[in-house]
Structures are given as C-alpha cells and as structure tokens.
Amino acid sequence: MKIFIGSSSRNEINKEYLDLAEKVGKELKSYNYDLVFGAASTGMMGKTTKYFNNIYSYTVEKYTDDLKNINSKKEYILKTTFDRTKKMYKDADILLLLPGGTGTLAELFGILEENRSITNPKKYIIFNYNHYYDKAIELIDNCIKNNFNSKDIKDYYEVVNNIEELIILIDNKKSTN
C-alpha cells in the first residue's frame, strides 16, 4: 500500500509542525507503507521520509535538484504541479494532508474534488493539527450553506485532530483491505 503525505517543505515554520511530521512518520513506520510525496527533502516533507523504506518522489522541473537529497525508489518529473498532484493521487491508496502552504492547500481542494468526481474515492484524511485547517473546513461549510456543494461533499474526506485519531482511521483502512 502507498500513502501520500502532503505537507510543508519549508524549514522556517514553527518547530511544532516539524515535530508533528516526525511523529506521524514514526507512527506510520510500523504499517510498512510506501511513501508517495512531493519530493522535498526539507521541512515537514523531509521529516517524514526517513521512516519509509520505499519512497516515490514526484516533482516538477523547477525542484529536481532536491531529488539528489532523497533516497527514492522511483522519481517522477512532471510538467506542472497539477500533473504532479494528479499522478500522486492516482498512485496512492491513502491520502493524508498535514499542515502546509499554498501547494498543500491546492492539493487539499484538488484531492477533494477528485474524490467527489470519481466512482471509487480514496481514503482522504485531513490532519487538522492545532486547528490549522479550521478556515478551510469553514469554507467548505460555507459552500454547503450557499448551495455551491451538497452536504455529501463531507463524505469524501475525514478530519483528525491528533495522532490517536489518525491511527484509528489508518487501522480502519488497513482492516478493510
């Protein structure tokens, strides 16, 4: 099984987010998943990579220099970040978003829309650590309130607020396979 983890690649963020990525990586190590990710050796992304044996790196030409810092089993260099997100979605079995910047937010909504638009949506988990995604979730609620989306949009993702909730969801996914 492959798990996509989306998160920040910046080192300049608050240390608690870097620590979160480290804890998530440690917790997921025992599941022996392969990692699908946006190919950055820095920030939260870099913190998670050391806990996976098989790493599948997806990047765009602008960031290919960072591939030399990652022990990838396979590398994909795509034309655009849209193409990159699509390929990561296609290749992953589970999708997990940790806090991140605009790239992660693009993945948040891109993955949500893809899940909504296909017959067999994938397990999609938004890790709302320290209420990081509250505003994004409120935006989705506002879309529902104003009838831009139906309430079933919430069927295409799950929100966890801590490691314990994440592990319960991962365990539930593993037991259904």
Side-chain angles (χ1 to χ4, degrees), residues 28-43:
L28 294 179
K29 182 179 175 106
S30 65
Y31 292 89
N32 210 23
Y33 289 133
D34 293 342
L35 176 65
V36 168
F37 88 122
S41 64
T42 55

Side-chain angles (χ1 to χ4, degrees), residues 116-157:
R116 185 185 74 80
S117 301
I118 64 173
T119 304
N120 296 310
K122 296 185 179 195
K123 174 67 98 181
Y124 181 30
I125 304 166
I126 299 171
F127 199 131
N128 191 27
Y129 178 76
N130 204 24
H131 304 281
Y132 186 82
Y133 284 112
D134 281 357
K135 297 290 185 188
I137 294 165
E138 286 175 25
L139 180 59
I140 295 167
D141 290 338
N142 194 47
C143 289
I144 295 166
K145 177 182 169 191
N146 288 289
N147 293 314
F148 289 105
N149 285 102
S150 60
K151 288 180 183 177
D152 71 348
I153 193 73
K154 291 183 171 250
D155 295 342
Y156 299 102
Y157 67 95

Side-chain angles (χ1 to χ4, degrees), residues 6-9 13 17 20-21 44-45 97-101 104-105 126-133:
S7 64
S8 176
S9 63
I13 60 175
Y17 293 107
L20 171 68
M44 295 173 74
M45 283 191 199
L97 278 190
L98 303 178
T104 309
L105 290 172
I126 299 171
F127 199 131
N128 191 27
Y129 178 76
N130 204 24
H131 304 281
Y132 186 82
Y133 284 112

Side-chain angles (χ1 to χ4, degrees), residues 37-41 45 56-59 63 66-67 70 84 88:
F37 88 122
S41 64
M45 283 191 199
Y56 296 84
S57 298
Y58 300 72
T59 194
Y63 303 116
D66 205 19
L67 291 172
I70 303 164
R84 184 188 72 141
M88 289 187 299

